[in-house]
Amino acid sequence: MSVVPPMDKRPELLSVKQLGKTFNGEVEALRGMNLTVNSGDFVSLLGPSGCGKSTVLRMIAGLMEPTTGRIGWQGEHGSGSIGVVFQEPTLMPWASVEKNVWLPFRLAGQSLKSARPRIREALGLVGLEEFSDSYPRELSGGMKMRVSIARALATNPRVILMDEPFAALDEITRFKLNHDLLELKSKIGCTILFVTHSVFESVFLSDRIAVMTARPGRVLTEITVGEPYPRDDDFRTSSSYAAYCRVTSESLQQSMLEAA
Amino acid sequence: MHSESPGIRNPAPDASSTAQAMDAEEHRRFMRRRLERIGKWCLPLAVLVFTVWFWDRLVVVNEIPHYILPGPSLVWETLAADFWLLLEALKVTLQITLLALAVAVIGGVGLAVLFTQSRLFEMSLFPYAVVLQVTPIISIAPLIFIYVDNKIVGLLICAWIVAFFPILSNTTLGLNSTDHNLRDLFRIYGASRWQRLKHLQIPTALPYFLGGLRIAGGLALIGAVVAEYVAGTGGIGSGLAFTILEAGYRLQIPRMFAALLLIAATGVLIFVSLSLFSHLLLRKWHESALKKE
């Protein structure tokens, strides 16, 4: 069990400074966005749809160049440093679960045999070790998402980027996966940057919530959720949870006024 | 009913009635499935039996001479009597068809891969692939036989022209149909162009390619037959189409029917084997090959 140091003692991992993005020279998606992610953080980006949350994530993943500003990484940063989970499970339907999780290793030139211990471990963490020979179509939506998470964390990345990963799932599955994600995080101490438009989800999951304004997006407020991990269903029904949700919700309302 | 928390009520399950209702519906569904399964084989067979019987009666009752319309039994007898001659012709046609299909696969897939690797290449060549496809082969074939001395090569070129386009267009579509999130994922993990082609684009394109292949199989046969009609010269190495032509000149109508039957059977065989091939490749994962549950 890895121990994540308290929030104020975590080393900086990633800093986003004065980030701006304009599409086709006319649509300004982001303007002057600042964000710092420290090693071991669970940070949520919360904002109305179309505020540029996913754009930030895409730029951090290196899929897009910023128009202005910069994204800085501490330490060595290569192609295995980032894990990504999209809103859809994004599995290859022609490959078994094991081969899907193998993908990042395979692209790095590693054979299935040598990657197998890591694949097994990752599948074990999401509770799917028995399904390594199954095909994605044989799995439920929640299980597919677990495979996607296993693939993202298998390479032991410095940060896992999650773009509304549970938005398409039913509420029961979403609650379960929220819970399991936190358990997973406390086991391996990974850093997660999580995009969501759900106030409840962001409060339940994160140490820190960065509330974004509507387009052009930037971080308006940061809310620190002081509740210690592990968090369970008792937290979901507690009065502190309700209080955090109210604060976050008000801040979200504020951010939407800010843009208008 | 009394409950501990406000607003909560636990209705007792009413199991017996719902279970029985479900069973009746399940039973009906089961019967319908069984009927469909039987009908799938029996109905076409019944149509066949009726058609052959009607054909036979038509010939016998109207006393139609065999050089105008032979009865089914005479066609069958001719098929048996001329079996070796017809088999030789079938071998030629089949050889051309399969060879053309093989070249169409290589050419179609090769060109499709080139198209997706280089946009410039696609822009330059795709219009001409379309022109080649929409120009009727029967109007190109005479020219081909003027410039190509070897008859077999000429036939092959004609069959190839007809067969390669569905493979090219389907495979190109497939190679360009990759999931955009998976494409992003490949980029994030630093995949090379070759890795992306091998591990993402080719598997994505496989069902599209196989769909094109099934169409191309039938078209290759049509191309081979049409080209043979145009080529027209007899002698050794003549296929089924030439056999039909020659039999027509000699008013051997039963042999025409026998050869026609063989061509149709060949077409069906090609389609069935390609469908089977496609099913075997896709059965594990693709929607088209999965059994409905």
Side-chain angles (χ1 to χ4, degrees):
Chain A
M1 199 118 161
S2 84
V3 180
V4 177
M7 279 185 70
D8 51 348
K9 297 218 170 66
R10 294 176 194 166
E12 184 188 306
L13 174 69
L14 158 72
S15 72
V16 171
K17 287 207 179 84
Q18 289 299 318
L19 201 66
K21 181 73 190 177
T22 308
F23 291 109
N24 302 323
E26 47 188 56
V27 182
E28 197 178 14
L30 290 170
R31 185 195 291 165
M33 154 113 187
N34 292 308
L35 181 73
T36 307
V37 179
N38 299 326
S39 206
D41 275 359
F42 195 129
V43 179
S44 284
L45 281 178
L46 176 72
S49 49
C51 73
K53 303 178 296 247
S54 298
T55 308
V56 178
L57 224 56
R58 288 179 67 80
M59 287 194 279
I60 292 173
L63 292 169
M64 209 185 259
E65 288 294 318
T67 311
T68 56
R70 56 180 291 274
I71 294 165
W73 293 91
Q74 295 295 321
E76 218 169 287
H77 193 72
S79 63
S81 304
I82 294 177
V84 186
V85 180
F86 299 99
Q87 187 174 340
E88 292 90 39
T90 312
L91 302 177
M92 301 177 289
W94 55 83
S96 64
V97 164
E98 185 181 51
K99 290 196 172 145
N100 265 292
V101 180
W102 178 33
L103 182 73
F105 300 104
R106 188 184 208 180
L107 294 176
Q110 215 173 326
S111 72
L112 181 59
K113 212 175 151 194
S114 71
R116 191 162 272 147
R118 301 279 294 279
I119 298 171
R120 281 282 146 82
E121 191 191 357
L123 284 174
L125 281 168
V126 297
L128 285 180
E129 60 271 77
E130 285 153 47
F131 291 88
S132 59
D133 293 328
S134 302
Y135 280 78
R137 64 167 182 93
E138 297 164 333
L139 307 179
S140 68
M143 286 159 94
K144 281 185 218 168
M145 205 33 104
R146 286 167 195 269
V147 178
S148 191
I149 294 170
R151 178 180 59 196
L153 60 82
T155 55
N156 208 0
R158 306 176 76 200
V159 61
I160 299 177
L161 307 175
M162 297 186 146
D163 191 359
E164 303 193 22
F166 309 138
L169 299 172
D170 61 277
E171 195 166 62
I172 296 167
T173 312
R174 187 161 64 237
F175 278 16
K176 176 90 177 91
L177 280 174
N178 280 170
H179 183 264
D180 292 355
L181 183 62
L182 286 187
E183 203 162 84
L184 192 78
K185 190 188 173 311
S186 69
K187 262 187 204 154
I188 61 174
C190 52
T191 310
I192 296 175
L193 182 56
F194 192 97
V195 162
T196 180
H197 57 234
S198 160
V199 170
F200 307 110
E201 195 171 54
S202 63
V203 170
F204 184 71
L205 292 173
S206 353
D207 304 294
R208 247 184 326 131
I209 304 168
V211 182
M212 289 180 69
T213 63
R215 199 164 66 202
R218 67 189 163 83
V219 176
L220 184 73
T221 3
E222 279 199 16
I223 296 162
T224 303
V225 181
E227 181 77 14
Y229 296 97
R231 297 170 184 171
D232 53 19
D233 285 342
D234 288 342
F235 176 51
R236 242 188 235 290
T237 50
S238 69
S239 57
S240 63
Y241 176 75
Y244 280 124
C245 285
R246 198 181 59 237
V247 170
T248 310
S249 212
E250 280 165 6
S251 170
L252 189 61
Q253 295 291 336
Q254 182 66 38
S255 76
M256 284 157 90
L257 290 177
E258 190 73 19
Chain B
M1 190 181 282
H2 176 78
S3 310
E4 284 190 22
S5 304
I8 292 185
R9 204 170 72 89
N10 298 317
D14 188 8
S16 56
S17 60
T18 49
Q20 263 170 7
M22 280 296 283
D23 276 359
E25 197 187 333
E26 279 299 302
H27 183 71
R28 271 204 302 280
R29 199 172 295 161
F30 173 76
M31 292 302 281
R32 203 183 315 135
R33 263 207 304 272
R34 205 166 66 175
L35 261 174
E36 257 171 35
R37 226 175 13 239
I38 297 168
K40 208 172 126 190
W41 293 101
C42 290
L43 290 179
L45 213 65
V47 170
L48 179 72
V49 169
F50 175 78
T51 312
V52 171
W53 173 83
F54 183 74
W55 175 10
D56 186 58
R57 286 300 92 195
L58 198 71
V59 172
V60 172
V61 170
N62 296 311
E63 294 177 345
I64 300 174
H66 66 81
Y67 52 83
I68 291 176
L69 178 63
S73 55
L74 184 59
V75 170
W76 185 251
E77 278 159 27
T78 313
L79 191 64
D82 294 349
F83 186 71
W84 295 110
L85 184 143
L86 289 171
L87 195 67
E88 279 306 307
L90 175 65
K91 259 161 64 184
V92 173
T93 305
L94 205 58
Q95 196 188 357
I96 304 232
T97 305
L98 293 184
L99 219 56
L101 191 60
V103 182
V105 168
I106 296 166
V109 171
L111 216 53
V113 169
L114 274 179
F115 279 5
T116 51
Q117 294 303 300
S118 157
R119 195 87 186 101
L120 283 178
F121 211 83
E122 183 180 2
M123 283 193 282
S124 330
L125 286 188
F126 195 75
Y128 299 101
V130 174
V131 169
L132 212 56
Q133 164 68 15
V134 297
T135 313
I137 187 64
I138 195 125
S139 55
I140 314 176
L143 279 174
I144 290 173
F145 285 108
I146 290 175
Y147 303 118
V148 179
D149 284 335
N150 189 322
K151 202 179 117 195
I152 297 287
V153 174
L155 293 175
L156 203 58
I157 292 175
C158 291
W160 176 79
I161 288 175
V162 184
F164 104 108
F165 190 77
I167 295 184
L168 170 69
S169 66
N170 269 30
T171 310
T172 309
L173 180 66
L175 291 171
N176 289 330
S177 299
T178 49
D179 181 276
H180 64 103
N181 282 336
L182 273 174
R183 232 167 22 227
D184 285 347
L185 203 66
F186 271 65
R187 257 183 78 191
I188 289 168
Y189 288 130
S192 66
R193 184 183 268 242
W194 164 243
Q195 282 178 320
R196 197 180 60 215
L197 179 69
K198 189 174 156 205
H199 300 311
L200 178 61
Q201 290 181 293
I202 288 179
T204 305
L206 187 66
Y208 294 83
F209 160 75
L210 290 169
L213 184 67
R214 268 197 292 187
I215 301 169
L219 285 182
L221 181 65
I222 292 174
V225 167
V226 167
E228 240 182 82
Y229 272 112
V230 176
T233 44
I236 304 154
S238 302
L240 278 175
F242 181 71
T243 309
I244 291 181
L245 269 185
E246 194 190 35
Y249 293 145
R250 297 186 189 174
L251 287 184
Q252 290 170 325
I253 313 299
R255 185 182 284 177
M256 287 175 83
F257 270 91
L260 185 62
L261 210 62
L262 273 186
I263 291 181
T266 308
V268 171
L269 187 75
I270 289 173
F271 184 79
V272 169
S273 20
L274 290 178
S275 300
L276 190 71
F277 176 64
S278 157
H279 179 80
L280 287 179
L281 281 179
L282 300 180
R283 75 200 147 123
K284 283 250 173 90
W285 63 276
H286 197 255
E287 289 292 338
S288 69
L290 299 179
K291 283 206 181 75
K292 288 181 196 80
E293 275 148 28

